[in-house]
Coordinates of all heavy atoms in Angstrom, one line a residue:
Y306 N -60.8 -1.3 -43.4 CA -59.7 -2.1 -43.9 C -58.5 -1.2 -44.1 O -57.3 -1.5 -43.7 CB -60.0 -2.8 -45.2 CG -58.9 -3.6 -45.7 CD1 -58.5 -4.8 -45.1 CD2 -58.1 -3.2 -46.7 CE1 -57.5 -5.6 -45.5 CE2 -57.0 -3.9 -47.2 CZ -56.7 -5.1 -46.6 OH -55.6 -5.9 -47.0
F307 N -58.7 0.0 -44.7 CA -57.6 0.9 -45.0 C -57.3 1.8 -43.8 O -57.7 3.0 -43.7 CB -57.8 1.7 -46.3 CG -57.9 0.8 -47.5 CD1 -59.1 0.6 -48.1 CD2 -56.8 0.3 -48.0 CE1 -59.2 -0.2 -49.2 CE2 -56.8 -0.5 -49.2 CZ -58.0 -0.8 -49.8
N308 N -56.7 1.2 -42.8 CA -56.7 1.8 -41.4 C -55.3 2.2 -41.1 O -55.0 2.5 -39.9 CB -57.1 0.8 -40.4 CG -56.4 -0.6 -40.4 OD1 -55.4 -0.7 -41.1 ND2 -56.9 -1.6 -39.7
A309 N -54.4 2.3 -42.1 CA -53.0 2.7 -41.8 C -53.0 4.2 -41.5 O -53.9 5.0 -41.8 CB -52.1 2.4 -43.0
E310 N -51.9 4.7 -40.8 CA -51.8 6.1 -40.4 C -51.2 6.9 -41.5 O -50.9 8.1 -41.3 CB -50.9 6.2 -39.2 CG -51.6 5.6 -37.9 CD -53.0 6.2 -37.6 OE1 -53.1 7.4 -37.7 OE2 -53.9 5.4 -37.4
S311 N -51.0 6.4 -42.7 CA -50.4 7.1 -43.8 C -51.3 8.3 -44.2 O -52.5 8.2 -44.0 CB -50.1 6.2 -45.0 OG -51.4 5.8 -45.5
T312 N -50.8 9.3 -44.8 CA -51.6 10.4 -45.3 C -52.6 10.0 -46.2 O -53.8 10.4 -46.2 CB -50.6 11.5 -45.9 OG1 -49.7 11.9 -45.0 CG2 -51.4 12.7 -46.4
E313 N -52.3 9.0 -47.1 CA -53.2 8.6 -48.2 C -54.4 7.9 -47.6 O -55.5 8.1 -48.0 CB -52.5 7.7 -49.2 CG -51.4 8.4 -50.0 CD -50.1 8.6 -49.3 OE1 -49.9 8.1 -48.2 OE2 -49.2 9.4 -49.8
E314 N -54.1 6.9 -46.7 CA -55.2 6.1 -46.1 C -56.1 6.9 -45.2 O -57.3 6.8 -45.1 CB -54.7 4.9 -45.5 CG -54.1 3.9 -46.5 CD -53.9 2.5 -46.0 OE1 -54.6 2.1 -45.0 OE2 -53.0 1.8 -46.5
A315 N -55.5 7.8 -44.4 CA -56.2 8.7 -43.6 C -57.2 9.6 -44.4 O -58.3 9.8 -44.0 CB -55.3 9.6 -42.7
A316 N -56.7 10.1 -45.5 CA -57.5 11.0 -46.3 C -58.6 10.2 -47.0 O -59.7 10.7 -47.1 CB -56.6 11.7 -47.4
L317 N -58.3 9.0 -47.4 CA -59.3 8.1 -48.0 C -60.4 7.8 -47.0 O -61.6 7.9 -47.3 CB -58.7 6.8 -48.4 CG -59.6 5.7 -49.0 CD1 -60.3 6.2 -50.2 CD2 -58.9 4.4 -49.3
R318 N -60.1 7.5 -45.7 CA -61.1 7.3 -44.7 C -62.0 8.5 -44.5 O -63.2 8.4 -44.4 CB -60.5 6.9 -43.4 CG -59.8 5.5 -43.4 CD -59.5 5.0 -42.0 NE -58.5 5.9 -41.3 CZ -57.2 5.8 -41.4 NH1 -56.7 4.9 -42.2 NH2 -56.4 6.6 -40.7
E319 N -61.4 9.7 -44.5 CA -62.1 10.9 -44.3 C -63.1 11.2 -45.5 O -64.2 11.6 -45.2 CB -61.1 12.1 -44.2 CG -61.8 13.4 -43.8 CD -60.8 14.6 -43.6 OE1 -59.6 14.3 -43.5 OE2 -61.2 15.7 -43.5
R320 N -62.6 10.9 -46.7 CA -63.5 11.2 -47.8 C -64.7 10.2 -47.8 O -65.8 10.5 -48.2 CB -62.7 11.1 -49.1 CG -61.6 12.2 -49.2 CD -60.7 11.9 -50.4 NE -61.4 12.2 -51.7 CZ -60.9 11.9 -52.9 NH1 -59.6 11.3 -52.9 NH2 -61.5 12.1 -54.0
I321 N -64.4 8.9 -47.5 CA -65.5 7.9 -47.4 C -66.5 8.4 -46.3 O -67.7 8.3 -46.6 CB -64.9 6.5 -47.0 CG1 -64.2 6.0 -48.2 CG2 -66.1 5.6 -46.6 CD1 -63.4 4.7 -47.9
T322 N -66.0 8.9 -45.2 CA -66.9 9.4 -44.2 C -67.8 10.5 -44.7 O -69.0 10.6 -44.4 CB -66.1 9.8 -42.9 OG1 -65.4 8.7 -42.4 CG2 -67.0 10.4 -41.9
G323 N -67.2 11.4 -45.5 CA -68.0 12.5 -46.1 C -69.2 12.0 -47.0 O -70.3 12.5 -46.9
L324 N -68.9 11.0 -47.8 CA -69.9 10.4 -48.6 C -71.0 9.7 -47.8 O -72.2 9.8 -48.1 CB -69.3 9.4 -49.6 CG -68.3 9.9 -50.7 CD1 -67.5 8.8 -51.3 CD2 -69.1 10.7 -51.7
W325 N -70.5 9.0 -46.8 CA -71.5 8.2 -45.9 C -72.4 9.2 -45.2 O -73.6 9.0 -45.1 CB -70.6 7.4 -45.0 CG -71.2 6.8 -43.7 CD1 -70.8 7.0 -42.5 CD2 -72.4 5.9 -43.6 NE1 -71.6 6.3 -41.6 CE2 -72.5 5.7 -42.2 CE3 -73.2 5.4 -44.5 CZ2 -73.6 4.8 -41.8 CZ3 -74.2 4.5 -44.1 CH2 -74.4 4.3 -42.7
Q326 N -71.9 10.2 -44.7 CA -72.7 11.2 -43.9 C -73.6 12.0 -44.7 O -74.6 12.5 -44.2 CB -71.8 12.1 -43.1 CG -71.0 11.3 -42.0 CD -70.2 12.3 -41.1 OE1 -70.0 13.5 -41.4 NE2 -69.6 11.7 -40.0
A327 N -73.4 12.0 -46.0 CA -74.3 12.8 -46.9 C -75.5 12.0 -47.4 O -76.4 12.6 -48.0 CB -73.5 13.3 -48.2
M328 N -75.5 10.7 -47.1 CA -76.6 9.8 -47.5 C -77.9 10.1 -46.6 O -77.9 9.7 -45.5 CB -76.2 8.4 -47.5 CG -75.0 8.1 -48.4 SD -74.3 6.4 -48.3 CE -75.5 5.6 -49.4
E329 N -78.9 10.6 -47.2 CA -80.1 11.0 -46.5 C -81.1 9.9 -46.4 O -82.2 9.9 -47.1 CB -80.7 12.3 -47.1 CG -79.8 13.5 -47.0 CD -80.4 14.7 -47.7 OE1 -81.6 14.9 -47.6 OE2 -79.6 15.5 -48.3
W330 N -80.9 8.9 -45.6 CA -81.8 7.8 -45.5 C -83.1 8.2 -45.0 O -84.2 7.7 -45.5 CB -81.2 6.8 -44.5 CG -79.8 6.3 -44.9 CD1 -78.6 6.9 -44.4 CD2 -79.4 5.3 -45.8 NE1 -77.5 6.2 -45.0 CE2 -78.0 5.2 -45.8 CE3 -80.1 4.4 -46.6 CZ2 -77.3 4.3 -46.6 CZ3 -79.4 3.5 -47.3 CH2 -78.0 3.4 -47.4
D331 N -83.2 9.1 -44.0 CA -84.5 9.5 -43.4 C -85.4 10.2 -44.5 O -86.6 10.1 -44.4 CB -84.3 10.3 -42.2 CG -83.3 11.5 -42.5 OD1 -82.7 11.6 -43.5 OD2 -83.3 12.4 -41.6
W332 N -84.8 10.9 -45.4 CA -85.6 11.6 -46.4 C -86.3 10.6 -47.3 O -87.4 10.9 -47.8 CB -84.6 12.4 -47.3 CG -85.4 13.4 -48.2 CD1 -85.9 14.6 -47.8 CD2 -85.7 13.2 -49.5 NE1 -86.5 15.2 -48.9 CE2 -86.4 14.3 -50.0 CE3 -85.5 12.1 -50.5 CZ2 -86.9 14.5 -51.3 CZ3 -86.0 12.3 -51.7 CH2 -86.7 13.4 -52.1
Y333 N -85.8 9.4 -47.5 CA -86.4 8.4 -48.3 C -87.6 7.6 -47.7 O -88.1 6.6 -48.2 CB -85.4 7.4 -48.9 CG -84.6 7.9 -50.1 CD1 -83.6 8.8 -49.9 CD2 -85.0 7.6 -51.4 CE1 -82.9 9.3 -51.0 CE2 -84.3 8.1 -52.5 CZ -83.3 9.0 -52.3 OH -82.6 9.5 -53.4

C-alpha cells in the first residue's frame, strides 16, 4: 500500500522487507 517513491515510504518498505526476511518459518 505504501508504494510512493518518497524517501519515507521507500525506507518503510525496505524495513518491512528486513523484518519479513528474518522470519524463520522453516525452523519452526
Side-chain angles (χ1 to χ4, degrees):
Y306 180 77
F307 295 105
N308 55 11
E310 294 303 316
S311 66
T312 301
E313 292 79 10
E314 293 197 24
L317 177 61
R318 293 193 297 273
E319 184 176 349
R320 294 173 72 187
I321 289 173
T322 297
L324 293 167
W325 163 237
Q326 292 183 353
M328 302 176 79
E329 299 179 33
W330 305 93
D331 52 349
W332 192 83
Y333 278 81

